[in-house]
Amino acid sequence: MMPQSIGRKYNIFFYIFIFIFLSTINNISWNNKLDSILKIKKVEVTGLDNDLNQKIKKKFDYLIGKNIFYISQNHIKKILNNINYIENYKVSKFFPSKVKVDLYSTKILATTYKKNKKIYIGSNRKFIDFNGKKLERNYPIIFGNFPIDEFFNLINFIEKSNFDIEEIKEYYYFPSKRWDVKLNNEVIAKLPNENISNSIDLLSKIVKENISKDNKVIDLRVPNQIIFSNE
């Protein structure tokens, strides 16, 4: 009876071995199939014009063939954060094999020139180089070597006032951290270093009531005074 008992034990071990072996084969096969299903086959980029969408899409070619579970969100964010004309974005995974990137363009506020090259300023506080790409509309031009924060300080004062920012054609920045603005009617307004908010409110009234008439310059640098001139 003893050999018979041993034989039964061997049979039990054998069946256990076969079960584990077949389970392992099935797991490997299933894992391979699952990995194939979860490989990214498409990256879709939307939100900007077609040329810019396609340009950005090429930056994500490296995702094709990667497992959708294991892609690095931080790496994607790093790529997008380095694109200056993007204000915001949303990255979505559509299982099993698609990634969609929705882009939101920054609003262009003005242009300037750096090393004789046209540069745009976005509402995201970044200088933007479109590499020769022409935008459809013209924007106010900023002259002078200005820090970006100084420009947005001025914009902040204007937006809090009743003055229509669309009236401004050109901005001039001076080393003394003072601004002049040229209006669409070619009148230049000289703003002070301090109490800029009050000066812009005054300018708004002058423009609405057409007080300047034929004068070319409105000097608001002296507190509580408005000086008109043709110089």
Side-chain angles (χ1 to χ4, degrees), residues 20 41 64 85 93 108 152 169 181 195:
I20 294 173
K41 298 177 178 64
I64 301 299
Y85 47 82
K93 295 178 183 179
I108 302 299
F152 277 92
K169 178 181 179 181
V181 294
N195 299 319

Side-chain angles (χ1 to χ4, degrees), residues 17-214:
F17 173 77
I18 292 298
F19 175 76
I20 294 173
F21 178 74
L22 291 175
S23 297
T24 303
I25 291 175
N26 287 334
N27 284 338
I28 292 172
S29 177
W30 169 246
N31 287 338
N32 288 339
K33 184 179 289 187
L34 185 61
D35 186 60
S36 177
I37 292 172
L38 294 174
K39 283 183 178 179
I40 297 172
K41 298 177 178 64
K42 183 178 182 180
V43 177
E44 184 178 337
V45 177
T46 65
L48 307 180
D49 66 47
N50 187 59
D51 289 342
L52 292 177
N53 286 338
Q54 292 302 315
K55 182 178 179 181
I56 294 171
K57 184 180 177 181
K58 289 180 180 178
K59 296 179 182 291
F60 296 109
D61 284 346
Y62 76 94
L63 291 176
I64 301 299
K66 292 187 178 296
N67 188 303
I68 196 168
F69 277 110
Y70 301 136
I71 61 174
S72 170
Q73 289 276 6
N74 288 334
H75 190 223
I76 293 175
K77 289 178 181 178
K78 185 176 180 180
I79 291 173
L80 294 173
N81 288 338
N82 284 330
I83 302 173
N84 286 354
Y85 47 82
I86 294 175
E87 179 86 28
N88 207 344
Y89 54 82
K90 179 183 177 183
V91 180
S92 306
K93 295 178 183 179
F94 291 87
F95 292 93
S97 59
K98 176 182 172 182
V99 173
K100 185 179 180 184
V101 182
D102 294 302
L103 304 175
Y104 303 89
S105 177
T106 188
K107 180 182 178 182
I108 302 299
L109 301 180
T111 62
T112 190
Y113 287 87
K114 289 183 176 292
K115 298 180 179 179
N116 297 319
K117 191 173 185 179
K118 192 173 188 179
I119 302 294
Y120 294 85
I121 295 97
S123 57
N124 57 359
R125 294 176 174 258
K126 294 181 180 180
F127 291 105
I128 303 165
D129 182 0
F130 282 108
N131 292 317
K133 179 180 174 61
K134 293 183 179 180
L135 302 188
E136 292 182 359
R137 59 163 287 190
N138 293 322
Y139 296 92
I141 303 173
I142 307 176
F143 297 95
N145 186 20
F146 63 98
I148 195 77
D149 287 342
E150 289 290 332
F151 175 65
F152 277 92
N153 286 340
L154 177 62
I155 293 297
N156 186 51
F157 284 124
I158 294 173
E159 289 180 342
K160 288 181 178 179
S161 73
N162 294 320
F163 186 77
D164 183 3
I165 198 169
E166 296 295 328
E167 289 285 341
I168 299 177
K169 178 181 179 181
E170 295 173 357
Y171 296 86
Y172 298 86
Y173 182 76
F174 298 93
S176 60
K177 298 184 178 181
R178 192 185 65 75
W179 291 92
D180 285 355
V181 294
K182 179 184 279 190
L183 309 182
N184 291 328
N185 61 4
E186 302 298 325
V187 171
I188 293 177
K190 295 180 177 291
L191 301 177
N193 291 89
E194 300 178 354
N195 299 319
I196 298 176
S197 182
N198 292 337
S199 297
I200 293 173
D201 285 337
L202 276 175
L203 181 61
S204 179
K205 293 178 182 178
I206 292 168
V207 171
K208 286 180 180 178
E209 298 175 16
N210 198 26
I211 297 174
S212 61
K213 296 182 180 179
D214 297 327

Side-chain angles (χ1 to χ4, degrees), residues 1-23:
M1 296 296 296
M2 198 67 171
Q4 197 174 21
S5 178
I6 293 173
R8 285 176 183 172
K9 289 182 180 179
Y10 278 124
N11 285 338
I12 292 171
F13 288 137
F14 175 76
Y15 288 128
I16 292 173
F17 173 77
I18 292 298
F19 175 76
I20 294 173
F21 178 74
L22 291 175
S23 297

